[in-house]
Every structure is written in structure tokens, then in C-alpha cells.
Amino acid sequence: MFKSSLVQKKVVILGGGESGTGAAILAKSKGFDVFLSDRGQLNQKYIDILHRENIPFEQGIHSESRVLESDLIIKSPGIPDTVALIVALKEKGIPVISEIEFASRYTSAKLIAITGSNGKTTTTLLTYHLLKNAGLNVGLAGNIGDSFAWQVAEKQFDYYVLEISSFQLDNIQGFHPQIAVLLNITPDHLDRYAYNFQNYIDSKFKIVQNQTAADHLIYFDDSEVIVAELSKRNIDSQKIKISLANKLSEGAYLDGGKLTSNAPNGTFEQNFEELPIKGPHNAINALAAISVAQLVGVSSEKISEGLKSFTNAPHRLEEVEVIDEVTYINDSKATNVDSVFYALGSFERPIVLIAGGVDKGNDYSQIETLVRNKVKALIVLSKDFEKLESYFSGIVPQIYITQDVQAAVDKAQEWSVPGDIVLLSPACASFDLFKNYEDRGEKFKAAVRNLTSQK
């Protein structure tokens, strides 16, 4: 456990959401002089908590003079390192770290950190479920659930399963997961990384920068990007492969519809079709979670039991309704092209695809063949529609553009016939028309259900 010398007495938290408020609570509990600053407006829930905890804060502004007097900054992952205030802090030599870095300094729990461009939420939730179902004392945090720092301040867990984004990894120093999972790396958030894919790759690989020979890295061996990067780096941790393409004498793989994991403490096998999650992407997620569970000593019986009882998160290939034999699927969390690739690959029936939003430097060539073969119509739900419309004109027979989710769903119903799939899988961020991907997904579900009420 990290022992603070309290040299860094003044701590300023930039961002007052879940992670920022949690960091403020942990910092106060460790004796720091804490101030929270948010340039936006705080949620009333967090205002009430900060008042209750007697933590001073401001909203609607960053008081630069006060921020620049701090000894340590804990920054929201949503704030880029390129903004002027962060640049000024770094020029002054004031450390800027993430909430996961700060929280990890004050826990002796074993850390299981999961990252990847896609699949990390499902893998994190499934891993947590397997460990929890087996009776382990485990917390869930990171980019999902309650604040990691908040839990460290108030609870005692033996393990934490953490979903970790590249934005969170950008501001780590000593963060040290005993088990790291790297699912995939495909172009995403390139607007945040100067449209340089290598910058994004480097960010993802920070998950292993503090691992030792006693630690483990579980990674997807079918990813050319990951394999190429591993060949260039000297990584001390023990490596465990997962694959859909090859049988592995050591590692985990899918073959003949069976999930198999060969670990030092035994072999686990499970028929994939028996699980509630479907599609090749979820086979990868399941293999990663199984590998983690085996490493921490969960029995095969408990792993199988947990796999079969798992319920996935909303907005990830979530079946909403079947109306007139047309299945409506909410995949609002698919905010990049790679996610849509997996979504399209999960269905064999004709698809009416609803996509669009804030483009993050997307390359649609990755899904062109799947779209050509599977998508009968494209509905672009976005203010920024030109790129999608231009790329898929001539590839998709019908394209409709709207900024209204109900109009999108109505058009999808008009264009679909019994047996079709209507799939919301945007490939883009949600901020042009919605608060976040959850808001987009909920509004889509409401619009679908409105079709039923109109009948």
C-alpha cells in the first residue's frame, strides 16, 4: 500500500462527477486539504455529498490561481491533457494524475484491470460476476459502477475488477494491476490522440507499464496490433493468450463451439451456446473472464455456474422488443467502428442499421463488406451525416437521414419485414443529439416501445 508523506498537502480535483467526488472523499480521509473544481454544472447528487462531507468546491469555472497553487491534481478522464490549464500545471511541475492512480495508492487489494477498444464493459462485468458468484470479496469500479476512490475510502475488498479506459491510463504513474487484460486495440478516440493511432496504442499499453514477473497479462492473440506491439516491448509479466483462431496448449480458445481454457491449475471447458451472451466478440470476453477466474483460484464448477447466470449491461446488443416479427436491438454503447463490426457479425438476418453521431476519425472500410452483405437500409441519426452518407451511398440500397430518434425508428419499421433486425449500433459518440450513449439507448428503447403503443 502506498504511504503518503503528505508533502503534497493541497489537492485539487478537476471534475466533479462520480470519479472526482470519490477522489475528493478519499483525499479528505487521508488528511489532504481538498478543493474540487468543475467548469460545468455539478449534479445535485454530488453537490449534496460535497456539502455533507464539508469539501469546498466551485462550479462553472476553474479558478486558475487556486488550481495552480495545488501540490497535486486529480483530473477527470474527460479533460484532455492539451487544455491550457493542464499544460500550465505541467509546466509548473505540479503532478496531474487520474482517480485510478490516486485510489490505487491506498489499497492493498489485488487489482484486475481490463482495457480494450471494445468489450471491456462486458468483460469487466462478467469477471466481477464470476468472482462474486464464487464468494470472493470483490469490488467493481473504474469506468463503470461506483468510484474506485470512494470505495477505497469506505470499503475493504480483497480484489477490485476495474474497467479502464485509455483516458484513465493517460494519467497513471504507479498504477499496478496484478492481472491486466488487453482485449483489442482498434482506432478509437483518434481526435483525442492527434489522429495518431500509435499514440492511442501507447496509451492502452500503459496498463502493463508497472507489472512485474509475478503478474499476468491476458491478451487477444488474434489481434495483429497487440501481437506486433508485444514484439517491440520488453514486458515482464507472464503472458496468457486467448484466441478464436487457434487451439492453445497454454491459454484459452474457442473451438467447435466450446470455450476451453488451459491454465496451470487445470483445464476448463464450456459449451458457448449454453451462455446468455452470443457472438464471437462475447466468446473473446468470456475467455478473458474465465482466464482471470482461473488465475485467482475459482473452481470450474463455480466458473460454469457464473457464466450461465450472467446478465449483461444495458445498451450492448440488448434486445428491446420483437414487433411484427422484427427484432429491435439496442447497441448504443457501440461508439466506434470495431464495435459495429462485432455487432453486424452477430446476426445472419437482414439488418436495418441505425448509425451516426460525433465522428471520432472513423474508418468505415473495416465494416464495408459486412454492410454490403448484411445491411438492407441505413438510417443516419446525426447532425454530422455527410461522412456516413457519402461512404455508404451505392453500398446500401436505402439511406435516410434524421436528427429525431422516433423518426429513425418509424422509418426502420417502414423499411423492415418479418425476420429483419433493426440495429442501433452508432459507430460514433452520442454528444451531438444526446447526453451520452445511455441517453441515446434509452430514447431508442422508448421510441421502439412507442411503436407498440401505436398499434
Side-chain angles (χ1 to χ4, degrees):
M1 184 184 297
F2 179 85
K3 302 294 184 182
S4 172
S5 64
L6 293 187
V7 172
Q8 296 169 325
K9 185 65 178 174
K10 292 183 180 179
V11 173
V12 172
I13 318 292
L14 295 181
E18 178 72 18
S19 67
T21 302
I25 289 170
L26 177 59
K28 185 187 176 191
S29 75
K30 298 302 176 183
F32 288 97
D33 177 10
V34 184
F35 178 66
L36 185 147
S37 176
D38 195 310
R39 196 173 63 178
Q41 296 300 307
L42 294 174
N43 185 296
Q44 188 61 46
K45 167 188 171 182
Y46 298 121
I47 291 174
D48 294 342
I49 290 166
L50 293 167
H51 281 311
R52 186 187 72 207
E53 298 293 330
N54 294 315
I55 295 172
F57 67 91
E58 65 181 1
Q59 58 181 330
I61 189 174
H62 289 316
S63 296
E64 189 167 318
S65 59
R66 186 163 186 176
V67 173
L68 291 172
E69 289 175 355
S70 62
D71 298 303
L72 176 68
I73 297 291
I74 303 170
K75 176 178 75 68
S76 164
I79 303 173
D81 287 338
T82 53
V83 303
L85 180 58
I86 304 301
V87 172
L89 286 162
K90 291 186 174 182
E91 287 177 348
K92 198 174 178 183
I94 299 171
V96 178
I97 64 173
S98 62
E99 179 228 2
I100 61 163
E101 168 69 28
F102 186 64
S104 71
R105 297 177 178 184
Y106 295 99
T107 179
S108 57
K110 290 182 173 62
L111 304 182
I112 300 158
I114 298 166
T115 197
S117 302
N118 300 288
K120 55 185 177 291
T121 298
T122 298
T123 305
T124 301
L125 289 171
L126 179 54
T127 302
Y128 171 75
H129 179 71
L130 294 184
L131 272 55
K132 185 79 171 175
N133 182 72
L136 299 183
N137 181 30
V138 56
L140 173 71
N143 206 36
I144 191 171
D146 297 331
S147 159
F148 181 28
W150 204 332
Q151 292 182 69
V152 168
E154 297 183 348
K155 299 177 182 179
Q156 293 290 328
F157 289 115
D158 298 324
Y159 300 89
Y160 279 101
V161 181
L162 306 171
E163 177 189 333
I164 305 294
S165 70
S166 60
F167 295 173
Q168 291 168 313
L169 289 168
D170 285 338
N171 298 111
I172 65 167
Q173 294 175 355
F175 176 69
H176 176 194
Q178 284 72 38
I179 301 174
V181 177
L182 187 50
L183 295 166
N184 46 63
I185 306 177
T186 58
D188 194 15
H189 302 298
L190 295 187
D191 51 340
R192 178 80 171 245
Y193 293 99
Y195 295 94
N196 185 330
F197 186 32
Q198 186 62 49
N199 292 343
Y200 178 61
I201 294 170
D202 292 342
S203 177
K204 286 294 189 187
F205 264 86
K206 286 183 179 181
I207 200 166
V208 297
Q209 73 178 20
N210 296 308
Q211 285 199 306
T212 70
D215 304 319
H216 292 85
L217 167 63
I218 298 166
Y219 70 94
F220 185 43
D221 192 49
D222 302 350
S223 166
E224 294 180 3
V225 173
I226 293 176
V227 172
E229 203 65 25
L230 285 171
S231 71
K232 297 188 294 186
R233 296 172 180 262
N234 183 19
I235 294 173
D236 295 329
S237 46
Q238 301 173 55
K239 299 174 186 65
I240 298 175
K241 299 177 182 179
I242 55 178
S243 177
L244 301 186
N246 302 300
K247 292 184 180 181
L248 303 171
S249 58
E250 296 180 1
Y253 62 92
L254 175 69
D255 182 64
K258 182 177 290 186
L259 301 168
T260 301
S261 180
N262 294 312
N265 57 347
T267 296
F268 173 84
E269 294 182 339
Q270 174 73 55
N271 288 325
F272 184 45
E273 65 180 13
E274 295 177 356
L275 306 192
I277 51 177
K278 308 299 179 186
H281 58 297
N282 277 322
I284 300 167
N285 301 337
L287 290 168
I290 291 165
S291 299
V292 173
Q294 286 186 301
L295 282 176
V296 301
V298 177
S299 70
S300 292
E301 180 184 11
K302 281 294 182 182
I303 294 174
S304 181
E305 181 183 290
L307 288 169
K308 292 175 183 176
S309 62
F310 175 65
T311 301
N312 204 354
H315 312 297
R316 202 65 174 114
L317 291 176
E318 175 189 15
E319 183 173 314
V320 181
E321 296 280 352
V322 178
I323 302 171
D324 296 332
E325 300 179 55
V326 174
T327 303
Y328 292 78
I329 302 290
N330 168 31
D331 195 36
S332 182
K333 200 174 189 299
T335 58
N336 57 45
V337 178
D338 199 48
S339 292
V340 180
F341 179 89
Y342 286 118
L344 293 174
S346 297
F347 304 103
E348 296 303 324
R349 293 148 58 186
I351 296 168
V352 176
L353 177 63
I354 302 175
V358 179
D359 188 287
K360 299 180 288 183
N362 290 350
D363 176 6
Y364 293 112
S365 64
Q366 182 184 352
I367 58 171
E368 180 177 337
T369 300
L370 279 171
V371 170
R372 189 183 299 275
N373 293 336
K374 295 190 173 191
V375 175
K376 62 183 285 185
L378 171 64
I379 297 168
V380 183
L381 178 61
S382 179
K383 293 179 181 178
D384 180 20
F385 58 85
E386 290 89 354
K387 185 175 178 180
L388 270 167
E389 181 189 29
S390 173
Y391 193 96
F392 289 107
S393 291
I395 295 173
V396 179
Q398 302 178 99
I399 297 178
Y400 175 71
I401 297 164
T402 183
Q403 286 83 52
D404 181 78
V405 66
Q406 188 66 58
V409 169
D410 289 346
K411 181 58 72 173
Q413 182 186 43
E414 177 187 332
W415 281 349
S416 59
V417 299
D420 286 353
I421 300 286
V422 172
L423 172 65
L424 170 68
S425 196
C428 301
S430 57
F431 306 119
D432 59 337
L433 297 173
F434 306 96
K435 296 176 184 176
N436 46 45
Y437 77 81
E438 294 99 335
D439 180 48
R440 176 169 59 192
E442 292 301 328
K443 285 186 167 59
F444 171 75
K445 291 193 288 186
V448 170
R449 288 167 182 149
N450 192 44
L451 297 178
T452 305
S453 67
Q454 293 173 356
K455 291 178 71 67

